[in-house]
Amino acid sequence: MQAMTAIQPALGRRGHRHHRLILAIHFQFPTTSSSSSPDKNRRNYHYYSNHHHRHRPASSSSSSLESLSTLLLPSCSRHYDDDRGENNNCCQRNYNAHSYRVHGQQQQQQLLHNYRNHAVILYNVPTFSVSKSSSGSSSSSRSRQCRLFSTAPPNKQNDVCSSNNDNNNISSNKSSILSKEAATASIDYPTSDRFWALPPAIAIHLAIGSVYVYSMWSPGMSKTLGVIAAAPSDWTHSALLPVFSTSAIVLGLTTSSLGAWVERVGPRTAGMVGSAFWSAALVTTAAGVETQCLPLVYAGYGLLGGVGWGLMYLTPVTSAMKWFPDRRGLATGIALSAFGAGAALAPSVIHALVDTFAVAPHYIGDCMLTATSGSSAELVELTTLSDGSQVVASNSPVGEPGTPVVIATEADIAKSSSGLTTGPGVYAIGTGDTGIAKAMASLGILYGMLGAVGSRFMQIPHPDWKPEQMQDGTNVVRKDDDGDRNKVSKPSTNNAPAMPEPSNDNNNIGLPASYVTTNTTQFPLLWLSVFGNATGGLALLSSSKLMLTDIFAGVAPEMVTPAFTTGYVSALGIGMALGRFGWSAISDGLGRQNTFAVFGLGIPIVGLAPYLCHAVVDMTSLRGVDAGGVDGMVMGGGEVWPYLMTFYGGSVLAITFYGGIFSVLPAYIADLFGQKHAGAIHGKALTAWASSAVAGPMGLAYLRSYSYDNAMQDLLHTVEAHDASALDRSFGVSISDTEGIQKLVDAKTLTIEKLLELAPPGTVDPTPFLYDTTCYLAAALMSVAALSNLAIRPLDLSKELKKMETLQKIKA
């Protein structure tokens, strides 16, 4: 069988015009033996120029192949566009199956393998770049590269084509430092240096990791005007928690719709755009907080932040996996652990910035609700308006009449920074500053710069690059989730390498996302597993500071301070970072499915959390002592400290599972469906996370609000039974005036903390029980996730590829 192979070297320039060189070589392939020397079958070769087209005699020099760079198929005409500098292919279908890199010093190594009607050719030849100056002198540079192609018999030559554009040589003419070409390393990039590609990815994830500490912002955003306590015009937690859900929804849409765009433009452009969006998101949100414009907050943190989150999350993950095809779990773990590290470092930075920019509100004085018995100080007289808000009364001996105010109780003081308060009493609305807006804008600029620097130095491997342990001639063994071991066989001694079966270890093999999402049962099961496991983690992350304060600040106010809750949020970030790195590395040996099964240990942690809270509160009520301070933590034969640390440690452990989900997920996807389209499939799978980000925070907001309303009703009945006139004396509303009470609640004038001041001593604070229903529901969803993961079975990739080709032929 005779085949002609056209080989085009890398191109140089003549002035502003590319000089095209095409070398054509004719070989006579033996039909009986694949080990015959290629030199014996060389007929001749011709040298052509796009300007001269002159014939040159054949040469037997062994160096004649040194000018060959790319092996093309016989009927394909690959040319270099002189005007645009782009590689173009005339073929419509791709017959390129595999690419290998061969070590050795031989310049003319040719391995021929005939089977049936196809010939497989493996060349080890260097690239040869030619550049000519105006004086006619030339210079050249070489780099070794080889590829494996299959060719069809003469009667099928019209169907044969060249390799994918993704596998084309990267042009040496790089138009921009942010282009994909500029970010692509050379094909001979040392394997030992691939770890240097990770620091830029880490920088990007450090910048975007702060998106998870939304709970550091939301408590202050709910008290923008009142500062110490929520003012009537301040936003509620139910209005603020969906902001995080909106951001997560946009994240899912971004990763799903822009995954292919990220692959096309490269990591530098995608990362730079994502950094700009994230920076603009924080600055826009800060403007919304400063102007009390909630739609602006949703547009900033929700919309712009979601786009930036998606791009800054997806870009480093896919790039890291390309550098570590042999250790995908480790690669994603290193990259995503920086995401968790960003969430761990951000709370301390945010807390410091907020304290720096915060301004204490004007303290007017004590009032009847907060005054201690025996106090001789004059009290502020208040008037309740028709909308439920309160102002300084005209006959008040203290304060400017008509001044809008908020009342801060001991519980409110315990939740606020010590530098912002004088003590329980009346504070003027609008005279202080939480520092949230200024701190958020500052971080927006800082994170934008950090992400931009990381994006500038992002790097991806050449499409044909492989680590040394996965190159031809090396055994690469990987244990799959089902326990089987796949081995890439060594080439035979007769220089005719065995053709490896398509495996999930090959970067160029994989099922398309459209096929995976519509024709496999593994994808919906994986989707459910991600959704169920992530819901509880997101509910905790979105309101962790508020949750810890609500549960334990009432029983240990001197211990559960704002600084302590900030440390708790940081600990969750550290747990997420450790989980992303640790579980991904463990999954390389334990298996992805088994690692996901371990995450089921979070079910009892979440499900038993309410019992822990009830135990602490029950001891408080049985002991009947003041729980403030370290000395007051001994209650009913036990101590608050062990219960607090159990809750603390259990939630950190549960968050390691949450972090592990997303560092193991990319490798899990690559193991199931192949690496080639893993990025696009990953984007589709992240819609499960986006759904859990809606179900988690918004579900928590709804259930907390429902539990809060029920607790308020119970306390009202308690106050009515104890002193029916107490509510009228403090708020000017009768206990029987349902409409008036509802106005007080809507204006945030009447809260659980204020009703407890009117309730009899020993009344149990219901605040720690506001999260019981949320925990039970999260545990149920995590159980569904565990069962879904156990139902996943490994795919036979070769079989699925053939099935996909059959379906495509039927549709055609």
Side-chain angles (χ1 to χ4, degrees):
M1 178 180 64
Q2 182 174 359
M4 179 185 73
T5 304
I7 307 173
Q8 174 194 345
L11 303 173
R13 285 180 178 268
R14 174 177 290 174
H16 293 285
R17 185 172 180 82
H18 299 289
H19 187 65
R20 178 174 58 199
L21 301 175
I22 299 179
L23 184 63
I25 298 184
H26 295 264
F27 292 105
Q28 178 67 40
F29 296 160
T31 58
T32 58
S33 172
S34 62
S35 61
S36 301
S37 172
D39 292 337
K40 297 179 180 179
N41 297 288
R42 181 188 297 119
R43 299 302 189 193
N44 57 8
Y45 77 93
H46 297 77
Y47 174 82
Y48 293 94
S49 168
N50 62 329
H51 294 294
H52 302 290
H53 296 285
R54 60 177 178 266
H55 178 273
R56 298 197 177 185
S59 171
S60 59
S61 172
S62 61
S63 63
S64 61
L65 291 180
E66 290 185 359
S67 63
L68 310 183
S69 65
T70 306
L71 178 60
L72 303 178
L73 301 178
S75 65
C76 294
S77 172
R78 176 183 239 179
H79 64 276
Y80 198 88
D81 189 286
D82 290 346
D83 297 323
R84 294 175 298 170
E86 297 175 353
N87 285 326
N88 296 281
N89 296 320
C90 66
C91 305
Q92 301 299 320
R93 299 180 59 193
N94 176 25
Y95 276 68
N96 178 20
H98 303 281
S99 296
Y100 293 87
R101 186 175 171 215
V102 178
H103 291 282
Q105 301 300 323
Q106 296 181 357
Q107 298 296 318
Q108 295 191 47
Q109 180 185 5
Q110 302 179 22
L111 304 177
L112 307 180
H113 177 61
N114 243 356
Y115 63 98
R116 292 190 179 182
N117 295 326
H118 291 76
V120 178
I121 313 167
L122 181 64
Y123 276 86
N124 181 22
V125 294
T127 62
F128 185 78
S129 299
V130 179
S131 60
K132 292 190 176 182
S133 62
S134 58
S135 62
S137 61
S138 63
S139 61
S140 63
S141 61
R142 295 184 176 93
S143 63
R144 189 166 302 282
Q145 164 183 339
C146 62
R147 294 182 179 179
L148 177 64
F149 292 89
S150 66
T151 65
N155 61 339
K156 295 184 179 180
Q157 286 182 0
N158 290 335
D159 292 333
V160 181
C161 68
S162 64
S163 62
N164 281 336
N165 288 336
D166 290 342
N167 290 334
N168 289 342
N169 287 334
I170 305 300
S171 172
S172 61
N173 303 312
K174 300 171 183 177
S175 58
S176 169
I177 59 173
L178 301 181
S179 66
K180 185 175 183 179
E181 291 78 11
T184 304
S186 62
I187 193 172
D188 57 351
Y189 194 88
T191 300
S192 59
D193 291 346
R194 59 179 172 172
F195 283 94
W196 288 108
L198 294 178
I202 291 173
I204 294 177
H205 273 181
L206 282 174
I208 194 59
S210 62
V211 72
Y212 270 122
V213 297
Y214 181 71
S215 65
M216 289 294 299
W217 302 115
S218 58
M221 292 167 66
S222 67
K223 298 184 295 185
T224 304
L225 297 176
V227 182
I228 305 300
S233 299
D234 278 327
W235 302 316
T236 64
H237 290 294
S238 298
L240 289 172
L241 284 178
V243 174
F244 184 83
S245 298
T246 302
S247 182
I249 293 172
V250 177
L251 161 70
L253 295 175
T254 301
T255 56
S256 179
S257 59
L258 296 183
W261 177 82
V262 171
E263 291 291 335
R264 185 171 67 254
V265 302
R268 293 185 180 178
T269 299
M272 196 69 71
V273 172
S275 300
F277 268 91
W278 179 232
S279 178
L282 292 178
V283 173
T284 303
T285 306
V289 173
E290 186 68 23
T291 60
Q292 278 290 291
C293 180
L294 189 60
L296 203 57
V297 173
Y298 274 85
Y301 210 98
L303 297 180
L304 296 178
V307 175
W309 188 357
L311 294 177
M312 296 177 75
Y313 175 87
L314 195 59
T315 301
V317 171
T318 55
S319 299
M321 290 179 63
K322 291 176 181 178
W323 281 110
F324 294 84
D326 53 328
R327 297 296 302 277
R328 297 187 185 111
L330 176 64
T332 55
I334 293 175
L336 292 178
S337 62
F339 198 102
L345 295 174
S348 299
V349 177
I350 293 173
H351 184 72
L353 288 175
V354 168
D355 282 351
T356 300
F357 295 119
V359 177
H362 173 60
Y363 177 75
I364 299 176
D366 213 343
C367 65
M368 182 181 298
L369 183 67
T370 58
T372 59
S373 59
S375 176
S376 60
E378 291 185 325
L379 302 179
V380 180
E381 296 290 339
L382 301 176
T383 298
T384 302
L385 303 181
S386 59
D387 61 355
S389 62
Q390 290 185 309
V391 297
V392 177
S394 58
N395 60 343
S396 175
V398 182
E400 182 70 23
T403 302
V405 298
V406 293
I407 300 175
T409 65
E410 287 284 359
D412 294 320
I413 299 300
K415 300 175 183 178
S416 303
S417 176
S418 59
L420 293 180
T421 65
T422 304
V426 180
Y427 291 84
I429 293 176
T431 57
D433 189 349
T434 59
I436 294 294
K438 296 181 178 64
M440 189 174 287
S442 301
L443 279 181
I445 298 173
L446 175 64
Y447 284 143
M449 295 173 59
L450 180 61
V453 171
S455 301
R456 163 61 181 84
F457 295 100
M458 282 292 292
Q459 200 170 23
I460 56 175
H462 190 281
D464 294 331
W465 178 89
K466 287 186 179 181
E468 293 178 356
Q469 56 269 34
M470 292 186 68
Q471 291 168 3
D472 195 19
T474 306
N475 286 340
V476 179
V477 181
R478 179 180 61 83
K479 185 174 182 180
D480 288 326
D481 293 336
D482 57 358
D484 294 336
R485 300 182 73 84
N486 298 329
K487 182 181 294 185
V488 178
S489 59
K490 290 184 178 180
S492 60
T493 56
N494 61 356
N495 289 336
M499 290 292 292
E501 291 294 325
S503 73
N504 302 24
D505 287 326
N506 196 321
N507 279 344
N508 293 321
I509 298 296
L511 297 172
S514 58
Y515 178 86
V516 167
T517 55
T518 57
N519 293 275
T520 66
T521 59
Q522 284 78 4
F523 182 81
L525 289 173
L526 184 63
W527 194 97
L528 282 174
S529 183
V530 173
F531 171 77
N533 278 318
T535 301
L538 282 167
L540 176 61
L541 287 171
S542 64
S543 56
S544 54
K545 185 175 183 178
L546 176 66
M547 186 180 294
L548 185 69
T549 302
D550 284 344
I551 295 174
F552 288 100
V555 296
E558 292 188 8
M559 184 173 186
V560 185
T561 61
F564 182 85
T565 55
T566 298
Y568 174 67
V569 178
S570 295
L572 293 179
I574 293 173
M576 185 164 57
L578 294 176
R580 289 176 184 270
F581 177 76
W583 290 116
S584 61
I586 291 173
S587 72
D588 284 333
L590 185 61
R592 324 298 180 196
Q593 187 176 34
N594 294 334
T595 304
F596 261 57
V598 173
F599 297 158
L601 294 176
I603 298 173
I605 295 176
V606 175
L608 295 177
Y611 294 98
L612 189 67
C613 302
H614 281 260
V616 174
V617 174
D618 288 343
M619 285 190 299
T620 305
S621 59
L622 289 174
R623 188 72 173 176
V625 298
D626 182 10
V630 177
D631 295 335
M633 289 193 297
V634 179
M635 303 172 189
E639 296 181 351
V640 169
W641 177 261
Y643 290 91
L644 177 59
M645 288 298 101
T646 300
F647 179 88
Y648 199 117
S651 28
V652 171
L653 178 59
I655 287 300
T656 66
F657 298 151
Y658 171 81
I661 293 170
F662 298 99
S663 60
V664 176
L665 180 61
Y668 201 170
I669 290 173
D671 288 349
L672 285 174
F673 310 115
Q675 176 61 50
K676 184 174 183 180
H677 303 285
I681 299 172
H682 188 206
K684 301 292 183 183
L686 284 180
T687 58
W689 182 91
S691 300
S692 66
V694 175
M698 294 187 68
L700 182 143
Y702 173 79
L703 294 174
R704 183 185 185 277
S705 178
Y706 177 80
S707 300
Y708 189 94
D709 291 340
N710 289 337
M712 287 286 292
Q713 291 299 322
D714 293 339
L715 283 176
L716 283 171
H717 292 312
T718 302
V719 171
E720 182 181 12
H722 174 65
D723 185 357
S725 62
L727 195 66
D728 189 21
R729 292 195 305 269
S730 299
F731 299 99
V733 176
S734 172
I735 195 70
S736 60
D737 186 0
T738 306
E739 183 179 354
I741 291 175
Q742 187 59 48
K743 287 182 178 179
L744 291 175
V745 173
D746 293 340
K748 308 174 194 65
T749 301
L750 188 61
T751 62
I752 287 179
E753 292 81 6
K754 294 178 177 64
L755 282 177
L756 286 173
E757 296 290 336
L758 302 177
T763 301
V764 176
D765 184 358
T767 306
F769 310 145
L770 298 179
Y771 304 94
D772 290 2
T773 308
T774 303
C775 291
Y776 295 143
L777 182 59
L781 290 175
M782 293 172 69
S783 300
V784 173
L787 295 175
S788 299
N789 175 65
L790 294 176
I792 296 176
R793 294 292 177 266
L795 274 174
D796 186 338
L797 195 55
S798 299
K799 182 178 179 181
E800 291 296 327
L801 287 170
K802 293 177 182 178
K803 179 181 176 182
M804 183 185 67
E805 292 177 358
T806 302
L807 291 175
Q808 290 176 346
K809 290 180 180 179
I810 293 175
K811 291 180 180 180

